[in-house]
Structure formats: C-alpha cells, structure tokens
Amino acid sequence: MDKKDICSYTYMELQEEMQNFGEKSFRARQIYEWLHVKLVENFDEMTNLSRDLRRRLWENYEIRKLSVAERQISKKDPTEKYLFELWDGNLVESVLMKYSYGNSVCISSQAGCRMGCKFCASTIGGLARNLNVSEMLGQIYRIQKLIGERISNIVVMGTGEPLDNYDNFLKFIQIISDEHGLHISQRNITVSTCGIVPNMKRLAQERLQITLALSLHGSTQEKRRRLMPVADKYQLSEVLAACDYYFRKTGRRVTFEYSLVQGVNDTDEDARELALILGGRNCHMNLIPVNQIKERDFQKPCRKNTLDFKNKLEHHKINVTIRRERGSDIDGACGQLRRRHTISKKEN
Ligand code: SAH
C-alpha cells in the first residue's frame, strides 16, 4: 500500500487521523508542529514521540520532499528563483522576493497550465498535473529552510491556475495560515485567477481573508477573448460580478491585474473602457508590462507609454500601480525557467 502524504492533512484532519491510528489527540499537535513549524523532513527528528510511534508513522506515512534542481540569485535586486523537482520528475518554479516588510514567495499551483493565455510561458506545454497540498507547502518550507528566514507573504501567481486545483489550494491556505503551523496571516496571501467564476464564488464563501487578484487583461469581452481562451467560457460581466461578490462577502478589496501588451491592450480606448467597467469599484489595479517570451511576439510597451496608460487610469480615479520588475536577469517571466528545463529534458 502507498504511504500517505502526511503534510497534506489540515490540523483537524490530522487530529482525526491520529485518533483512528490509536493515538491521543495531543500527538497530532506535536506532529503538526514538527511538520509545519520546525519543518523536519524525517520522522526520526520528532524526538518527543516514542520510538515505537515514530516507527509506525514511518511505516504508514511519508514526508514528501522537493529537491532543488536550480537556484538563480539575481544580481540586480534581492530576488531568487527556484526550480524544484517533484517525486515524479515534474518541475515547478517559485520566486523569493525580499522586501523591507518581509520575505514574499510566489508559488506554483500546478505543473503546467491548461488555461492557454496567449502571452504566458507556463501554458505552452499544457497541464502536466495538479500539485498536491504538500507540494505547494513544500515550495515555501524549502525556501524558508534554505535562507534561514521567515516567509511572511505568499502570492499564488506562479505556474498554474489555483482555482483549477481548488480543493488542494484551499487546504494549502488552511494549513499555511493555521495557528498551529507557520501561521502566515491570510491578509498576507494573494491568489491570482484567470477568472473561473464558479470557484471564485465558492472561495468567497470560505470565510477567508486572502486577497483575490483577477487577471483582467482586456477591457471588453471581445478584447479579453483575444488574449485569454477562458473568456470563451465566462463572460466579462459574470467575472466582474464574481469579483463584486467576493468583495461583499469578505470585505477584501479585489486587485485587477492587467498585462500591458503594446498595440494590443494599451490604447486610449482601452483606458477609457477600463474606467467604464471598473469605475466606482473599491479596487486596485496592477499593471504588468508584458514579459516577452521567445515563443510569442508580444511586445512590452516602452516605459513612457506604460506611465501614460497609468496616468489615464488615474485621471479616471482608478487606484493603479505598475508592478515593479524583479529578477529580470533570471528568467523573470512566469514559467520561463521551468519551460527552459522541460525543453532541455526532452532533447536529452
Ligand atoms: N493562473 C493565474 C496565475 C497566473 S500568473 C492567473 O491567470 O491569474 C500571475 C499573473 O501573471 C497573471 O495575471 C498572468 O496573466 C500574468 N502573466 C503571465 N505571463 C505573463 C507575461 N509573460 N507577462 C506579463 N504577465 C504575465
């Protein structure tokens, strides 16, 4: 029988599991602390458990590890990019960004992606598989151990569509924010979605305090469809209604992400239309000058055009920032590092 993946249990699930295993419930607290606070990778290190219990844990469960396939450290800014290899050879990438307010990690939620956004490198080879809960946690745990500093902020904006891996994503949030674990504040966690409407509504009902970011990228249904195939399935009006619902249910201001592509979605008309659809909302807009990838010929607008676009939106009273470019010397764009390795693996 396959051993069970012990890091993927929420605190409540682990308590139940340990009771069924014939143990007192306080054992679950001890084990959870070893796994999610002390970040051990071996049952032998759980020194306050009896030798017999450790042996039985070892026989029935496993602590899955991610191995570092590559680590790139930027020379330009305090940013590091990690490529992790999973037990089955799949690769995922994560980014560490150090800020004055703390350390932020951007994690992947799937190996590959099936959403097909036109400018994104993560989607080119399609979806390999969902990440399980421990593989999302593992990206953060591994980086925290390597740098020896606490991770305080998380963005789920790496490869994959988190709301296409809903159940695992939700458990991941519960475990990482649990007071018995790393206890990262939900207010310091942002999840980005391309707009899977039913799951945005489900998420609104989970009583969480995480920030929702919507990848908008187009100011009308028609323009959005040109860049994002998912827009064929959900109308822009439905997506915006789901954002409003999230705000009403959680009180959390939604972020709109807008990857600026020269000549495609950065015109005067786009700015006017954006003001029309977002006007009156308590929201925040984040402009991301598109990261050029070699498989596509989308161009990044020059700095001046990006600033002009921002000014136009501000003129319409939209709260807007331009995403600061980080790690541009280290395979900056989403999925680029993974893609480079996946290609070279296939060629060998
Ligand atoms: N699937 C989620 C998370 C993806 S990545 C989503 O779609 O939101 C996070 C953000 O980066 C998304 O807004 C995505 O559209 C954007 N992005 C992906 N590749 C990019 C690129 N090459 N340049 C600029 N933004 C990109």
Side-chain angles (χ1 to χ4, degrees):
M1 195 186 76
D2 277 352
K3 291 185 182 179
K4 298 183 194 169
D5 175 9
I6 197 165
C7 279
S8 290
Y9 291 91
T10 63
Y11 185 59
M12 262 168 65
E13 287 173 342
L14 191 66
Q15 278 182 318
E16 213 179 294
E17 182 77 9
M18 284 303 113
Q19 267 166 20
N20 296 338
F21 203 55
E23 289 295 325
K24 297 248 163 45
S25 70
F26 76 90
R27 290 288 176 215
R29 195 180 63 233
Q30 291 176 321
I31 296 168
Y32 200 87
E33 188 179 12
W34 283 115
L35 295 172
H36 300 290
V37 180
K38 297 178 179 156
L39 312 183
V40 302
E41 293 178 346
N42 190 320
F43 292 112
D44 287 336
E45 293 177 64
M46 302 185 174
T47 46
N48 56 0
L49 308 183
S50 69
R51 209 176 274 246
D52 180 55
L53 175 56
R54 279 184 264 161
R55 183 186 49 80
R56 289 202 303 129
L57 287 173
W58 189 86
E59 282 166 3
N60 291 280
Y61 300 93
E62 63 179 335
I63 307 175
R64 290 203 184 152
K65 295 175 202 133
L66 308 189
S67 55
V68 181
E70 191 174 328
R71 178 181 184 183
Q72 298 181 334
I73 302 180
S74 170
K75 292 188 182 67
K76 287 188 175 170
D77 45 49
T79 300
E80 297 181 13
K81 195 143 195 177
Y82 293 82
L83 187 74
F84 293 114
E85 181 162 356
L86 310 177
W87 63 275
D88 61 355
N90 266 302
L91 298 165
V92 292
E93 58 186 75
S94 323
V95 187
L96 163 72
M97 290 156 287
K98 296 186 165 195
Y99 294 101
S100 52
Y101 58 78
N103 294 319
S104 177
V105 171
C106 172
I107 65 156
S108 296
S109 55
Q110 297 179 312
C113 184
R114 59 181 181 142
M115 296 297 130
C117 297
K118 296 281 184 349
F119 46 78
C120 179
S122 297
T123 205
I124 293 171
L127 175 68
R129 69 167 171 86
N130 278 332
L131 297 194
N132 51 40
V133 183
S134 63
E135 289 167 335
M136 287 187 248
L137 293 166
Q139 297 170 57
I140 295 156
Y141 293 177
R142 183 40 41 115
I143 294 176
Q144 174 157 318
K145 279 186 90 165
L146 268 169
I147 65 170
E149 290 174 31
R150 182 177 162 77
I151 306 300
S152 55
N153 295 62
I154 300 169
V155 289
V156 188
M157 290 191 182
T159 296
E161 168 51 46
L163 300 191
D164 189 38
N165 183 13
Y166 189 88
D167 294 338
N168 288 344
F169 165 72
L170 186 65
K171 273 194 191 179
F172 159 76
I173 298 291
Q174 287 163 343
I175 294 174
I176 201 82
S177 60
D178 194 298
E179 59 178 346
H180 301 93
L182 267 198
H183 199 186
I184 297 183
S185 164
Q186 287 183 0
R187 290 173 170 255
N188 291 352
I189 303 176
T190 298
V191 57
S192 177
T193 179
C194 60
I196 300 187
V197 169
N199 288 349
M200 290 167 74
K201 291 186 188 159
R202 262 172 92 187
L203 190 66
Q205 292 163 354
E206 305 283 359
R207 299 176 173 276
L208 300 174
Q209 279 293 293
I210 61 177
T211 300
L212 180 70
L214 174 80
S215 296
L216 185 59
H217 307 326
S219 54
T220 62
Q221 168 63 10
E222 205 34 55
K223 286 180 181 164
R224 199 164 181 263
R225 272 188 59 209
R226 276 184 228 156
L227 293 173
M228 307 177 74
V230 69
D232 290 336
K233 199 152 176 202
Y234 305 108
Q235 292 289 315
L236 178 57
S237 54
E238 291 177 83
V239 177
L240 293 175
C243 290
D244 291 343
Y245 181 68
Y246 190 87
F247 178 60
R248 274 203 311 282
K249 279 289 202 192
T250 61
R252 304 286 295 156
R253 191 171 77 157
V254 173
T255 296
F256 291 95
E257 293 163 279
Y258 194 88
S259 297
L260 271 176
V261 188
Q262 185 184 303
V264 175
N265 64 3
D266 67 342
T267 63
D268 283 358
E269 188 186 67
D270 290 302
R272 267 199 312 277
E273 284 165 352
L274 279 176
L276 268 178
I277 60 166
L278 297 184
R281 277 188 177 77
N282 184 0
C283 64
H284 172 241
M285 186 141 197
N286 201 209
L287 298 177
I288 319 168
V290 81
N291 257 310
Q292 284 161 239
I293 55 173
K294 67 172 188 319
E295 292 85 350
R296 304 275 189 265
D297 54 5
F298 289 120
Q299 303 284 316
K300 182 199 295 218
C302 67
R303 184 75 191 157
K304 183 183 171 299
N305 288 10
T306 304
L307 285 172
D308 281 352
F309 197 79
K310 174 174 183 268
N311 290 339
K312 282 175 211 149
L313 293 176
E314 277 174 342
H315 179 75
H316 291 290
K317 309 252 174 321
I318 294 182
N319 191 321
V320 53
T321 47
I322 298 173
R323 181 166 308 168
R324 243 196 300 162
E325 200 174 9
R326 282 264 197 155
S328 53
D329 55 331
I330 50 168
D331 289 310
C334 250
Q336 271 187 178
L337 176 61
R338 175 176 180 273
R339 172 124 189 92
R340 182 162 57 72
H341 275 256
T342 311
I343 293 168
S344 66
K345 254 189 156 180
K346 279 190 187 138
E347 281 169 357
N348 285 332

